[in-house]
Amino acid sequence: MSEVTRILATIEHGDPSAVAQLLPLVYDDLRKLASLKLNQEKPGQTLQATALVHEAYLRLVDVDKAQHWNSRGHFFAAAAEAMRRILVENARRKQRIKHGGDLERVDLELGDMPTRMTSDELIALDEALEKLKQHDPVKAELVTLRYFAGMTIEQAAEILNISRVTAHRYWTYARAWLHQQIAGGVESE
């Protein structure tokens, strides 16, 4: 009996300490499996391999839901199934209107905002930025710091006292919002 199979049997008998012993033995293989699953997904997947591994692992070793593992292979087959279910749940969540399922994803790069602008373009940007400032002052300030002061996401986040992740999310939103205002002249909420 392999070490993994022995620990799986211990988990099956309700020993919560065995869960901690199992992860180091199977983590690398689970990570490879997760990477393979994610490589089969469409580009733009927001779920990372590490998160997929952790979520699947938690589902597999839940002591409250006793499961029987015949072998290491059985465990990894169940892990693959758990990862598939997680990816399907994630895809369904993204399709919900609440999560923007009715919207078309548009990727905007930093270069989408020109470094040299004509007078008309600069005025249009200023007007759109003023609208954004009324709509969301923090996002408007982030754009000002990034675009006009040339700061990085990290520098602007520090000044605004927000996390880097939040600053990145705000930056993505603000660029799309400004692009829509300038290109389409559409009023946003």
Side-chain angles (χ1 to χ4, degrees), residues 132 136 138-139 142-143 153 160 162 164-176:
L132 180 60
D136 194 322
V138 176
K139 289 180 179 101
L142 178 66
V143 171
I153 285 278
L160 294 172
I162 58 177
R164 183 191 56 78
V165 172
T166 299
H168 182 71
R169 191 175 64 243
Y170 284 6
W171 175 244
T172 301
Y173 173 87
R175 285 181 305 162

Side-chain angles (χ1 to χ4, degrees), residues 108-150:
L108 298 174
E109 296 297 322
L110 198 63
D112 289 347
M113 293 178 73
T115 54
R116 294 179 187 221
M117 302 178 126
T118 66
S119 299
D120 291 340
E121 291 170 332
L122 186 57
I123 291 169
L125 175 60
D126 181 61
E127 290 171 357
L129 197 52
E130 284 301 318
K131 288 180 186 177
L132 180 60
K133 191 181 290 184
Q134 292 171 1
H135 175 67
D136 194 322
V138 176
K139 289 180 179 101
E141 183 66 20
L142 178 66
V143 171
T144 302
L145 291 171
R146 295 270 350 255
Y147 188 69
F148 293 103

Side-chain angles (χ1 to χ4, degrees), residues 3-188:
E3 182 69 10
V4 172
T5 305
R6 186 189 63 72
I7 292 172
L8 289 170
T10 308
I11 292 171
E12 180 184 337
H13 288 42
D15 182 5
S17 65
V19 171
Q21 297 171 12
L22 180 63
L23 186 58
L25 296 175
V26 298
Y27 185 81
D28 288 338
D29 291 331
L30 287 174
R31 182 102 162 102
K32 289 175 190 171
L33 183 61
S35 292
L36 287 172
K37 291 282 185 190
L38 289 171
N39 285 340
Q40 296 170 353
E41 294 292 309
K42 189 168 100 171
Q45 174 64 258
T46 56
L47 193 60
Q48 299 294 318
T50 303
L52 184 57
V53 167
H54 290 206
E55 181 65 29
Y57 184 77
L58 289 174
R59 290 182 184 195
L60 290 169
V61 297
D62 187 358
V63 177
D64 296 334
K65 298 177 184 173
Q67 299 178 34
H68 178 70
W69 309 109
N70 295 330
S71 64
R72 176 185 170 96
H74 183 215
F75 176 79
F76 281 100
E81 178 64 19
M83 289 179 190
R84 182 186 68 78
R85 288 183 183 168
I86 292 164
L87 290 170
V88 168
E89 289 168 9
N90 194 41
R92 285 187 178 138
R93 181 186 59 79
K94 284 182 177 181
Q95 286 182 339
R96 291 188 199 118
I97 293 175
K98 178 179 179 180
H99 295 282
D102 61 337
L103 300 175
E104 181 181 340
R105 182 178 175 90
V106 176
D107 291 325
L108 298 174
E109 296 297 322
L110 198 63
D112 289 347
M113 293 178 73
T115 54
R116 294 179 187 221
M117 302 178 126
T118 66
S119 299
D120 291 340
E121 291 170 332
L122 186 57
I123 291 169
L125 175 60
D126 181 61
E127 290 171 357
L129 197 52
E130 284 301 318
K131 288 180 186 177
L132 180 60
K133 191 181 290 184
Q134 292 171 1
H135 175 67
D136 194 322
V138 176
K139 289 180 179 101
E141 183 66 20
L142 178 66
V143 171
T144 302
L145 291 171
R146 295 270 350 255
Y147 188 69
F148 293 103
M151 293 184 178
T152 65
I153 285 278
E154 291 79 12
Q155 292 167 333
E158 186 177 328
I159 288 173
L160 294 172
N161 199 27
I162 58 177
S163 72
R164 183 191 56 78
V165 172
T166 299
H168 182 71
R169 191 175 64 243
Y170 284 6
W171 175 244
T172 301
Y173 173 87
R175 285 181 305 162
W177 195 93
L178 290 168
H179 178 74
Q180 181 182 29
Q181 290 294 307
I182 294 168
V186 178
E187 285 293 322
S188 289

